[in-house]
mmCIF file of all heavy atoms in Angstrom:
data_model
loop_
_atom_site.group_PDB
_atom_site.id
_atom_site.type_symbol
_atom_site.label_atom_id
_atom_site.label_comp_id
_atom_site.label_asym_id
_atom_site.label_seq_id
_atom_site.Cartn_x
_atom_site.Cartn_y
_atom_site.Cartn_z
ATOM 1 N N LEU A 293 -32.613 -64.011 19.310
ATOM 2 C CA LEU A 293 -33.323 -62.965 18.567
ATOM 3 C C LEU A 293 -33.903 -61.891 19.481
ATOM 4 O O LEU A 293 -34.088 -60.747 19.063
ATOM 5 C CB LEU A 293 -34.433 -63.594 17.717
ATOM 6 C CG LEU A 293 -33.952 -64.450 16.544
ATOM 7 C CD1 LEU A 293 -35.104 -65.217 15.922
ATOM 8 C CD2 LEU A 293 -33.265 -63.580 15.498
ATOM 9 N N TRP A 294 -34.210 -62.258 20.728
ATOM 10 C CA TRP A 294 -34.626 -61.211 21.684
ATOM 11 C C TRP A 294 -33.483 -60.843 22.619
ATOM 12 O O TRP A 294 -33.362 -59.685 23.025
ATOM 13 C CB TRP A 294 -35.857 -61.639 22.496
ATOM 14 C CG TRP A 294 -35.633 -62.751 23.481
ATOM 15 C CD1 TRP A 294 -35.837 -64.075 23.283
ATOM 16 C CD2 TRP A 294 -35.151 -62.621 24.831
ATOM 17 N NE1 TRP A 294 -35.507 -64.798 24.414
ATOM 18 C CE2 TRP A 294 -35.100 -63.929 25.383
ATOM 19 C CE3 TRP A 294 -34.774 -61.532 25.635
ATOM 20 C CZ2 TRP A 294 -34.666 -64.175 26.683
ATOM 21 C CZ3 TRP A 294 -34.343 -61.775 26.937
ATOM 22 C CH2 TRP A 294 -34.301 -63.088 27.443
ATOM 23 N N ALA A 295 -32.664 -61.830 22.968
ATOM 24 C CA ALA A 295 -31.483 -61.565 23.794
ATOM 25 C C ALA A 295 -30.309 -61.392 22.828
ATOM 26 O O ALA A 295 -29.483 -62.296 22.662
ATOM 27 C CB ALA A 295 -31.248 -62.706 24.767
ATOM 28 N N PHE A 296 -30.246 -60.246 22.187
ATOM 29 C CA PHE A 296 -29.276 -59.995 21.119
ATOM 30 C C PHE A 296 -27.995 -59.442 21.735
ATOM 31 O O PHE A 296 -27.993 -58.371 22.361
ATOM 32 C CB PHE A 296 -29.876 -59.016 20.113
ATOM 33 C CG PHE A 296 -29.159 -58.973 18.793
ATOM 34 C CD1 PHE A 296 -28.800 -60.137 18.124
ATOM 35 C CD2 PHE A 296 -28.844 -57.753 18.211
ATOM 36 C CE1 PHE A 296 -28.144 -60.091 16.901
ATOM 37 C CE2 PHE A 296 -28.201 -57.698 16.980
ATOM 38 C CZ PHE A 296 -27.851 -58.874 16.334
ATOM 39 N N ALA A 297 -26.904 -60.189 21.584
ATOM 40 C CA ALA A 297 -25.653 -59.853 22.262
ATOM 41 C C ALA A 297 -25.169 -58.414 22.011
ATOM 42 O O ALA A 297 -24.706 -57.755 22.955
ATOM 43 C CB ALA A 297 -24.573 -60.864 21.863
ATOM 44 N N PRO A 298 -25.261 -57.865 20.780
ATOM 45 C CA PRO A 298 -24.812 -56.474 20.562
ATOM 46 C C PRO A 298 -25.556 -55.434 21.398
ATOM 47 O O PRO A 298 -25.080 -54.297 21.535
ATOM 48 C CB PRO A 298 -25.070 -56.262 19.066
ATOM 49 C CG PRO A 298 -24.976 -57.619 18.470
ATOM 50 C CD PRO A 298 -25.584 -58.524 19.500
ATOM 51 N N ASN A 299 -26.718 -55.811 21.961
ATOM 52 C CA ASN A 299 -27.440 -54.876 22.834
ATOM 53 C C ASN A 299 -26.581 -54.418 24.007
ATOM 54 O O ASN A 299 -26.780 -53.328 24.552
ATOM 55 C CB ASN A 299 -28.715 -55.525 23.379
ATOM 56 C CG ASN A 299 -29.830 -55.577 22.353
ATOM 57 O OD1 ASN A 299 -29.678 -55.127 21.230
ATOM 58 N ND2 ASN A 299 -30.953 -56.135 22.743
ATOM 59 N N LEU A 300 -25.633 -55.272 24.399
ATOM 60 C CA LEU A 300 -24.744 -54.932 25.504
ATOM 61 C C LEU A 300 -23.961 -53.657 25.189
ATOM 62 O O LEU A 300 -23.812 -52.771 26.041
ATOM 63 C CB LEU A 300 -23.788 -56.094 25.767
ATOM 64 C CG LEU A 300 -22.803 -55.942 26.928
ATOM 65 C CD1 LEU A 300 -23.543 -55.787 28.243
ATOM 66 C CD2 LEU A 300 -21.870 -57.149 26.985
ATOM 67 N N ILE A 301 -23.476 -53.545 23.959
ATOM 68 C CA ILE A 301 -22.717 -52.359 23.536
ATOM 69 C C ILE A 301 -23.665 -51.184 23.313
ATOM 70 O O ILE A 301 -23.391 -50.054 23.733
ATOM 71 C CB ILE A 301 -21.925 -52.665 22.251
ATOM 72 C CG1 ILE A 301 -20.912 -53.795 22.517
ATOM 73 C CG2 ILE A 301 -21.224 -51.415 21.734
ATOM 74 C CD1 ILE A 301 -20.238 -54.320 21.283
ATOM 75 N N VAL A 302 -24.808 -51.460 22.680
ATOM 76 C CA VAL A 302 -25.774 -50.406 22.370
ATOM 77 C C VAL A 302 -26.302 -49.750 23.640
ATOM 78 O O VAL A 302 -26.631 -48.551 23.644
ATOM 79 C CB VAL A 302 -26.944 -50.982 21.523
ATOM 80 C CG1 VAL A 302 -28.053 -49.957 21.333
ATOM 81 C CG2 VAL A 302 -26.427 -51.449 20.164
ATOM 82 N N SER A 303 -26.364 -50.516 24.732
ATOM 83 C CA SER A 303 -26.888 -49.957 25.987
ATOM 84 C C SER A 303 -26.109 -48.707 26.416
ATOM 85 O O SER A 303 -26.696 -47.765 26.971
ATOM 86 C CB SER A 303 -26.841 -51.011 27.096
ATOM 87 O OG SER A 303 -25.504 -51.361 27.419
ATOM 88 N N PHE A 304 -24.805 -48.661 26.131
ATOM 89 C CA PHE A 304 -24.000 -47.502 26.523
ATOM 90 C C PHE A 304 -24.229 -46.328 25.577
ATOM 91 O O PHE A 304 -24.201 -45.172 26.006
ATOM 92 C CB PHE A 304 -22.517 -47.896 26.568
ATOM 93 C CG PHE A 304 -22.206 -48.889 27.661
ATOM 94 C CD1 PHE A 304 -22.155 -50.255 27.407
ATOM 95 C CD2 PHE A 304 -21.987 -48.446 28.963
ATOM 96 C CE1 PHE A 304 -21.873 -51.163 28.417
ATOM 97 C CE2 PHE A 304 -21.710 -49.358 29.983
ATOM 98 C CZ PHE A 304 -21.652 -50.718 29.712
ATOM 99 N N PHE A 305 -24.487 -46.604 24.302
ATOM 100 C CA PHE A 305 -24.818 -45.534 23.360
ATOM 101 C C PHE A 305 -26.132 -44.852 23.762
ATOM 102 O O PHE A 305 -26.300 -43.647 23.570
ATOM 103 C CB PHE A 305 -24.950 -46.081 21.938
ATOM 104 C CG PHE A 305 -23.635 -46.352 21.268
ATOM 105 C CD1 PHE A 305 -23.179 -47.644 21.093
ATOM 106 C CD2 PHE A 305 -22.833 -45.313 20.798
ATOM 107 C CE1 PHE A 305 -21.968 -47.914 20.484
ATOM 108 C CE2 PHE A 305 -21.621 -45.558 20.174
ATOM 109 C CZ PHE A 305 -21.183 -46.867 20.017
ATOM 110 N N LEU A 306 -27.050 -45.619 24.329
ATOM 111 C CA LEU A 306 -28.363 -45.081 24.683
ATOM 112 C C LEU A 306 -28.327 -44.210 25.931
ATOM 113 O O LEU A 306 -29.326 -43.563 26.268
ATOM 114 C CB LEU A 306 -29.361 -46.227 24.880
ATOM 115 C CG LEU A 306 -29.769 -46.967 23.598
ATOM 116 C CD1 LEU A 306 -30.589 -48.208 23.914
ATOM 117 C CD2 LEU A 306 -30.555 -46.035 22.679
ATOM 118 N N THR A 307 -27.195 -44.186 26.626
ATOM 119 C CA THR A 307 -27.076 -43.300 27.791
ATOM 120 C C THR A 307 -26.596 -41.907 27.384
ATOM 121 O O THR A 307 -26.632 -40.982 28.195
ATOM 122 C CB THR A 307 -26.094 -43.883 28.821
ATOM 123 O OG1 THR A 307 -24.798 -44.021 28.224
ATOM 124 C CG2 THR A 307 -26.581 -45.236 29.324
ATOM 125 N N GLN A 308 -26.145 -41.775 26.130
ATOM 126 C CA GLN A 308 -25.633 -40.483 25.665
ATOM 127 C C GLN A 308 -26.770 -39.487 25.452
ATOM 128 O O GLN A 308 -27.915 -39.865 25.200
ATOM 129 C CB GLN A 308 -24.856 -40.668 24.355
ATOM 130 C CG GLN A 308 -23.620 -41.554 24.496
ATOM 131 C CD GLN A 308 -22.944 -41.821 23.160
ATOM 132 O OE1 GLN A 308 -23.397 -41.337 22.117
ATOM 133 N NE2 GLN A 308 -21.867 -42.594 23.182
ATOM 134 N N LYS A 309 -26.404 -38.219 25.545
ATOM 135 C CA LYS A 309 -27.417 -37.162 25.360
ATOM 136 C C LYS A 309 -27.989 -37.210 23.956
ATOM 137 O O LYS A 309 -29.199 -37.078 23.748
ATOM 138 C CB LYS A 309 -26.780 -35.801 25.625
ATOM 139 C CG LYS A 309 -27.783 -34.666 25.642
ATOM 140 C CD LYS A 309 -27.125 -33.375 26.078
ATOM 141 C CE LYS A 309 -28.173 -32.258 26.138
ATOM 142 N NZ LYS A 309 -27.566 -30.969 26.583
ATOM 143 N N LYS A 310 -27.125 -37.458 22.969
ATOM 144 C CA LYS A 310 -27.587 -37.587 21.578
ATOM 145 C C LYS A 310 -27.042 -38.890 21.009
ATOM 146 O O LYS A 310 -25.840 -39.045 20.837
ATOM 147 C CB LYS A 310 -27.119 -36.395 20.741
ATOM 148 C CG LYS A 310 -27.715 -36.354 19.342
ATOM 149 C CD LYS A 310 -27.346 -35.073 18.636
ATOM 150 C CE LYS A 310 -27.926 -35.002 17.228
ATOM 151 N NZ LYS A 310 -29.383 -35.071 17.204
ATOM 152 N N SER A 311 -27.937 -39.815 20.735
ATOM 153 C CA SER A 311 -27.524 -41.131 20.240
ATOM 154 C C SER A 311 -27.197 -41.072 18.756
ATOM 155 O O SER A 311 -27.721 -40.224 18.022
ATOM 156 C CB SER A 311 -28.653 -42.141 20.463
ATOM 157 O OG SER A 311 -28.967 -42.232 21.834
ATOM 158 N N PRO A 312 -26.303 -41.976 18.291
ATOM 159 C CA PRO A 312 -25.974 -42.015 16.855
ATOM 160 C C PRO A 312 -27.228 -42.245 15.991
ATOM 161 O O PRO A 312 -28.192 -42.870 16.433
ATOM 162 C CB PRO A 312 -25.028 -43.216 16.765
ATOM 163 C CG PRO A 312 -24.490 -43.393 18.137
ATOM 164 C CD PRO A 312 -25.564 -42.972 19.061
ATOM 165 N N LYS A 313 -27.203 -41.748 14.747
ATOM 166 C CA LYS A 313 -28.373 -41.858 13.874
ATOM 167 C C LYS A 313 -28.725 -43.302 13.521
ATOM 168 O O LYS A 313 -29.884 -43.626 13.291
ATOM 169 C CB LYS A 313 -28.119 -41.059 12.594
ATOM 170 C CG LYS A 313 -28.053 -39.554 12.829
ATOM 171 C CD LYS A 313 -27.835 -38.808 11.507
ATOM 172 C CE LYS A 313 -27.808 -37.305 11.754
ATOM 173 N NZ LYS A 313 -27.592 -36.534 10.490
ATOM 174 N N TRP A 314 -27.726 -44.168 13.481
ATOM 175 C CA TRP A 314 -27.979 -45.565 13.095
ATOM 176 C C TRP A 314 -28.794 -46.336 14.133
ATOM 177 O O TRP A 314 -29.321 -47.409 13.844
ATOM 178 C CB TRP A 314 -26.660 -46.307 12.823
ATOM 179 C CG TRP A 314 -25.681 -46.303 13.954
ATOM 180 C CD1 TRP A 314 -24.631 -45.446 14.136
ATOM 181 C CD2 TRP A 314 -25.636 -47.198 15.092
ATOM 182 N NE1 TRP A 314 -23.935 -45.747 15.281
ATOM 183 C CE2 TRP A 314 -24.528 -46.823 15.881
ATOM 184 C CE3 TRP A 314 -26.408 -48.279 15.484
ATOM 185 C CZ2 TRP A 314 -24.188 -47.481 17.062
ATOM 186 C CZ3 TRP A 314 -26.072 -48.950 16.659
ATOM 187 C CH2 TRP A 314 -24.996 -48.558 17.430
ATOM 188 N N ILE A 315 -28.928 -45.782 15.346
ATOM 189 C CA ILE A 315 -29.657 -46.476 16.404
ATOM 190 C C ILE A 315 -31.125 -46.704 16.016
ATOM 191 O O ILE A 315 -31.693 -47.761 16.306
ATOM 192 C CB ILE A 315 -29.577 -45.690 17.734
ATOM 193 C CG1 ILE A 315 -28.150 -45.690 18.288
ATOM 194 C CG2 ILE A 315 -30.544 -46.270 18.769
ATOM 195 C CD1 ILE A 315 -27.717 -47.003 18.895
ATOM 196 N N SER A 316 -31.743 -45.737 15.350
ATOM 197 C CA SER A 316 -33.161 -45.892 14.978
ATOM 198 C C SER A 316 -33.332 -47.054 13.990
ATOM 199 O O SER A 316 -34.318 -47.796 14.057
ATOM 200 C CB SER A 316 -33.706 -44.593 14.384
ATOM 201 O OG SER A 316 -33.020 -44.239 13.184
ATOM 202 N N LYS A 317 -32.374 -47.211 13.084
ATOM 203 C CA LYS A 317 -32.439 -48.341 12.148
ATOM 204 C C LYS A 317 -32.181 -49.663 12.873
ATOM 205 O O LYS A 317 -32.740 -50.702 12.519
ATOM 206 C CB LYS A 317 -31.418 -48.144 11.022
ATOM 207 C CG LYS A 317 -31.736 -46.961 10.117
ATOM 208 C CD LYS A 317 -30.703 -46.809 9.013
ATOM 209 C CE LYS A 317 -31.053 -45.614 8.128
ATOM 210 N NZ LYS A 317 -30.028 -45.394 7.069
ATOM 211 N N TYR A 318 -31.350 -49.600 13.892
ATOM 212 C CA TYR A 318 -31.081 -50.781 14.722
ATOM 213 C C TYR A 318 -32.366 -51.251 15.400
ATOM 214 O O TYR A 318 -32.608 -52.452 15.541
ATOM 215 C CB TYR A 318 -30.008 -50.424 15.747
ATOM 216 C CG TYR A 318 -29.566 -51.568 16.632
ATOM 217 C CD1 TYR A 318 -28.682 -52.532 16.174
ATOM 218 C CD2 TYR A 318 -30.032 -51.662 17.945
ATOM 219 C CE1 TYR A 318 -28.263 -53.571 16.999
ATOM 220 C CE2 TYR A 318 -29.620 -52.706 18.777
ATOM 221 C CZ TYR A 318 -28.733 -53.645 18.297
ATOM 222 O OH TYR A 318 -28.325 -54.668 19.102
ATOM 223 N N MET A 319 -33.213 -50.297 15.798
ATOM 224 C CA MET A 319 -34.490 -50.642 16.435
ATOM 225 C C MET A 319 -35.404 -51.377 15.449
ATOM 226 O O MET A 319 -36.140 -52.293 15.838
ATOM 227 C CB MET A 319 -35.190 -49.382 16.964
ATOM 228 C CG MET A 319 -34.422 -48.665 18.043
ATOM 229 S SD MET A 319 -34.040 -49.745 19.446
ATOM 230 C CE MET A 319 -32.527 -48.989 20.039
ATOM 231 N N ILE A 320 -35.369 -50.978 14.202
ATOM 232 C CA ILE A 320 -36.170 -51.672 13.179
ATOM 233 C C ILE A 320 -35.697 -53.121 13.042
ATOM 234 O O ILE A 320 -36.502 -54.046 12.906
ATOM 235 C CB ILE A 320 -36.075 -50.936 11.821
ATOM 236 C CG1 ILE A 320 -36.704 -49.538 11.938
ATOM 237 C CG2 ILE A 320 -36.757 -51.733 10.710
ATOM 238 C CD1 ILE A 320 -36.541 -48.679 10.696
ATOM 239 N N LEU A 321 -34.374 -53.302 13.097
ATOM 240 C CA LEU A 321 -33.808 -54.653 13.025
ATOM 241 C C LEU A 321 -34.305 -55.497 14.202
ATOM 242 O O LEU A 321 -34.707 -56.657 14.015
ATOM 243 C CB LEU A 321 -32.281 -54.575 13.042
ATOM 244 C CG LEU A 321 -31.538 -55.921 13.105
ATOM 245 C CD1 LEU A 321 -31.767 -56.713 11.823
ATOM 246 C CD2 LEU A 321 -30.045 -55.701 13.350
ATOM 247 N N LEU A 322 -34.307 -54.920 15.397
ATOM 248 C CA LEU A 322 -34.749 -55.660 16.582
ATOM 249 C C LEU A 322 -36.237 -55.998 16.503
ATOM 250 O O LEU A 322 -36.660 -57.081 16.920
ATOM 251 C CB LEU A 322 -34.459 -54.850 17.846
ATOM 252 C CG LEU A 322 -32.980 -54.627 18.191
ATOM 253 C CD1 LEU A 322 -32.845 -53.838 19.493
ATOM 254 C CD2 LEU A 322 -32.215 -55.937 18.296
ATOM 255 N N LEU A 323 -37.039 -55.076 15.959
ATOM 256 C CA LEU A 323 -38.468 -55.353 15.769
ATOM 257 C C LEU A 323 -38.667 -56.498 14.775
ATOM 258 O O LEU A 323 -39.537 -57.360 14.970
ATOM 259 C CB LEU A 323 -39.196 -54.093 15.288
ATOM 260 C CG LEU A 323 -39.454 -53.021 16.355
ATOM 261 C CD1 LEU A 323 -39.903 -51.710 15.700
ATOM 262 C CD2 LEU A 323 -40.513 -53.496 17.350
ATOM 263 N N ALA A 324 -37.849 -56.513 13.724
ATOM 264 C CA ALA A 324 -37.923 -57.597 12.736
ATOM 265 C C ALA A 324 -37.553 -58.930 13.381
ATOM 266 O O ALA A 324 -38.180 -59.961 13.098
ATOM 267 C CB ALA A 324 -36.991 -57.297 11.563
#
């Protein structure tokens, strides 16, 4: 739940100048 495997893929999206809109909702999921 804290070491969430999909974070590996998301880490590359977060290096982009403009991240996809779904990333903010993904953060809510991680907080949950």
Side-chain angles (χ1 to χ4, degrees):
L293 291 170
W294 69 266
F296 196 47
N299 283 0
L300 182 62
I301 298 171
V302 173
S303 66
F304 293 96
F305 283 106
L306 290 171
T307 60
Q308 297 175 0
K309 188 173 182 179
K310 188 173 180 60
S311 301
K313 292 182 179 180
W314 57 264
I315 292 286
S316 62
K317 293 180 180 177
Y318 183 78
M319 297 304 151
I320 296 174
L321 174 66
L322 293 181
L323 284 168

